[in-house]
Amino acid sequence: MIEELVPRTVACAEAFEDAVGDGGEDGLFPGEREALGDAVERRRREFTTVRACAREAMTGLGVPPAPVLPGVRNIPLWPAGVVGSMTHCDGYRAAALARTSDAVTVGIDAEPDGPLPHGVLESIALPRELDWARAGSGGGAVHRDRLLFSAKECVYKAWYPMMRTELDFEDAEITFTPASGTGPAQPSVGAFHARILRPARNASGQHVGAFEGRWAAGRGLLVTAIVLPAPGGAVRGR
């Protein structure tokens, strides 16, 4: 699913728990095993499989396999010259990586295509977003409240590694483009625009006031992705 959402300059890998299963911990680097500590079994499986995805994506970039340790706010620490993002939810794990010559930042998120718990939508949505999400509450292709949540998580994952500053749910306003390409064997794919209400400049002096993202729905999942191209970088579409 994730490869449908990013340019060819981004290397992706994903695992569907019901089709692939979680691997063991033999493939972890020592520092990763230490970071796991005494985590419960479910957390160990998520941690292990998403890092296997990351290593597969590194191979796709031509980067030697390397540990992916959690940094501040659990943001993954990537090898020099690489930006990326990882995500996991029930039944799905994925990683997406790019070279810094091609992308400034990458953010991905996955969520189950089901309703948010009671009260969560009101805590994350701006007024126009709330109207949009509620307009689709009577049915339709996706659960709009969960898609909005995923897009906001995606924005944060793209923003924080680049800016090293917090971004709250109310600091980004999301608008969506309807999905196209629906079919039983293909995920539905759409786009979204994230307007940053506290724009800023990154370390390279690039003004960041918005992100363009894409989303997909399929197999009971919602997946969102943002790739901010590097100035002058070659971004090749799918």
Side-chain angles (χ1 to χ4, degrees), residues 183-207:
Q186 268 189 315
S188 303
V189 176
F192 66 92
H193 174 81
R195 182 168 67 96
I196 306 301
L197 304 183
R198 291 196 297 113
R201 294 189 181 276
N202 60 24
S204 300
Q206 182 181 16
H207 180 267

Side-chain angles (χ1 to χ4, degrees), residues 146-236:
R146 185 74 72 161
L147 179 59
L148 176 64
F149 179 84
S150 181
K152 295 225 173 188
E153 285 287 300
C154 187
V155 167
Y156 183 86
K157 289 182 174 183
W159 178 270
Y160 187 84
M162 175 176 56
M163 298 298 196
R164 298 294 172 177
T165 59
E166 301 290 336
L167 200 67
D168 293 327
F169 286 116
E170 64 267 24
D171 293 327
E173 185 177 53
I174 313 292
T175 54
F176 291 91
T177 300
S180 61
T182 58
Q186 268 189 315
S188 303
V189 176
F192 66 92
H193 174 81
R195 182 168 67 96
I196 306 301
L197 304 183
R198 291 196 297 113
R201 294 189 181 276
N202 60 24
S204 300
Q206 182 181 16
H207 180 267
V208 182
F211 289 123
E212 301 299 330
R214 301 186 76 204
W215 63 271
R219 300 182 66 157
L221 299 165
L222 298 171
V223 181
T224 52
I226 290 169
V227 179
L228 180 64
V235 178
R236 300 183 295 277

Side-chain angles (χ1 to χ4, degrees), residues 27-93:
L28 293 178
F29 284 81
E32 292 172 330
R33 291 195 191 96
E34 183 178 345
L36 261 178
D38 59 355
V40 299
E41 179 63 19
R42 177 177 176 177
R43 168 62 178 156
R44 304 184 81 87
R45 288 161 60 87
E46 292 171 344
F47 184 99
T48 300
T49 304
V50 79
R51 278 159 178 78
C53 291
R55 240 86 78 185
E56 184 179 339
M58 289 178 196
T59 299
L61 277 186
V63 174
V68 185
L69 301 177
V72 177
R73 303 282 294 182
N74 282 324
I75 297 297
L77 302 178
W78 300 109
V82 173
V83 292
S85 184
M86 301 189 299
T87 188
H88 55 77
C89 68
D90 287 346
Y92 187 75
R93 292 87 166 88

Side-chain angles (χ1 to χ4, degrees), residues 3 22 29 51 102 105 212:
E3 69 177 7
D22 288 301
F29 284 81
R51 278 159 178 78
D102 293 320
T105 190
E212 301 299 330

